[in-house]
Amino acid sequence: LRLCRRGGESSDLPPAEANREPSPSPRRRLDVSLHAVDLSDIDGLDASLDELFASVSGGDEGEAEAEEEGRTAPTTTRAILINNAASLGPLGRCRADDPTVDFEGSLADLRSAIDLNVTSYAWLCRRFVRHFSSSLSPSGKGHRRRVVRVTVVNISSLCAVQPFPTMGAYCLGKAARDMFGAVLAKEEDQGPAKEEDGEVGDEEGHSSSSSSGGSSRPAVVVRVLNYAPGPLDTDMTRRLAECDALDESLRGWFRESLRGGTMVDLDDSARRLADLVVRDEFENGSHVDYYDLDGRQGEAEKEEADKEA
């Protein structure tokens, strides 16, 4: 799933990828489907997500469709959403004494940025968690699927926790996404789940565990991570390095970092994120920065070396 917005930036889906055939895996079958979803189209977002989730296994709709076609729906035990669809939004001073110089956007531009960076993000998270949590309900044949863990990864930024002059709209969006993730995690806070053999659920198709308040909760564990990947060499940072509306010291820092090659390696940051999600070693709803993992990465590499030895 590639998330994008119309007419956008580096995170958007290139037109050539819309019909690209997935590469076969030499070790095991890997089914890949690409869906272009315009997250800036708030009015049409629900309909787009309805269509998307109807084609994704794990929820009731996917199994019903499989039964109609006479095939067995694949079993989904873990669902992960990694959402990095976003835009910088308007750049410039918040007060903007001279809007023609101090701010590069309009009210409509600001609203569009908030819709893409916050509104659609929150709604997509809600729909994603609800869709895969519903996989605990019984199917028409009385079988129960085993979705036991749903992980939502928000690609965050240092801008979510620190103010950067002239990047008010971007900081606003990142901070809002972090807080939404923290609230979602708080609501779903159950701790790591232990996968066990056999069916999940009681005779009614709902599994429960006791909480401190004695209430029953569904057996889907929802995990949320706000991951700041570090400063990366992307189209976005190159735009910042050349943007006249950006704070002069910030613009200079981006220029020097790009020129000196000191940006974080994209593959390295991605590997750290993948390792963090697979190991599930983070506080639910927390903000984790690439640089926070320096020590942990060394321990993981030593552990892998010990295994090979």
Side-chain angles (χ1 to χ4, degrees), residues 245-290:
L246 193 69
D247 176 77
E248 185 176 350
S249 62
L250 275 178
R251 187 168 68 250
W253 183 88
F254 279 111
R255 284 179 175 174
E256 289 301 316
S257 298
L258 288 168
R259 187 180 298 117
T262 58
M263 290 286 186
V264 171
D265 180 75
L266 279 76
D267 290 337
D268 184 39
S269 185
R271 278 191 296 267
R272 291 194 180 191
L273 171 59
D275 182 71
L276 191 62
V277 172
V278 169
R279 291 171 178 267
D280 201 27
E281 296 177 346
F282 57 88
E283 181 182 349
N284 204 10
S286 62
H287 176 101
V288 178
D289 192 277
Y290 168 87

Side-chain angles (χ1 to χ4, degrees), residues 38-47 112 114-116 119-121:
D38 183 3
L39 295 178
S40 66
D41 180 12
I42 299 300
D43 292 336
L45 185 58
D46 253 336
S112 177
I114 298 302
D115 279 346
L116 172 63
T119 308
S120 67
Y121 167 78

Side-chain angles (χ1 to χ4, degrees), residues 16-74:
E17 291 196 15
N19 298 313
R20 186 182 64 183
E21 291 295 327
S23 301
S25 170
R27 290 179 294 179
R28 60 184 176 181
R29 176 177 175 176
L30 179 64
D31 293 326
V32 178
S33 60
L34 299 176
H35 305 266
V37 179
D38 183 3
L39 295 178
S40 66
D41 180 12
I42 299 300
D43 292 336
L45 185 58
D46 253 336
S48 295
L49 294 180
D50 286 342
E51 182 179 350
L52 170 65
F53 287 125
S55 66
V56 177
S57 64
D60 294 332
E61 303 93 336
E63 183 164 303
E65 181 180 344
E67 290 181 357
E68 290 177 1
E69 297 175 359
R71 58 182 173 84
T72 302

Side-chain angles (χ1 to χ4, degrees), residues 201-222:
D202 55 22
E203 293 182 356
E204 298 300 322
H206 300 282
S207 177
S208 62
S209 59
S210 298
S211 63
S212 59
S215 60
S216 295
R217 297 181 63 87
V220 171
V221 170
V222 177

Side-chain angles (χ1 to χ4, degrees), residues 78-84 121 125 129 150-157 160 174 177-186 222-229 269-290 292-293 296:
R78 188 169 186 182
I80 303 173
L81 170 65
I82 301 178
N83 192 341
N84 72 328
Y121 167 78
C125 288
V129 171
V150 176
T151 302
V152 175
V153 179
N154 164 44
I155 300 302
S156 186
S157 167
K174 290 300 184 181
R177 288 165 68 130
D178 267 31
M179 182 53 71
F180 182 86
V183 171
L184 175 60
K186 187 73 172 180
V222 177
R223 302 278 286 156
V224 183
L225 171 65
N226 296 304
Y227 176 69
S269 185
R271 278 191 296 267
R272 291 194 180 191
L273 171 59
D275 182 71
L276 191 62
V277 172
V278 169
R279 291 171 178 267
D280 201 27
E281 296 177 346
F282 57 88
E283 181 182 349
N284 204 10
S286 62
H287 176 101
V288 178
D289 192 277
Y290 168 87
D292 296 336
L293 303 175
R296 187 180 303 182

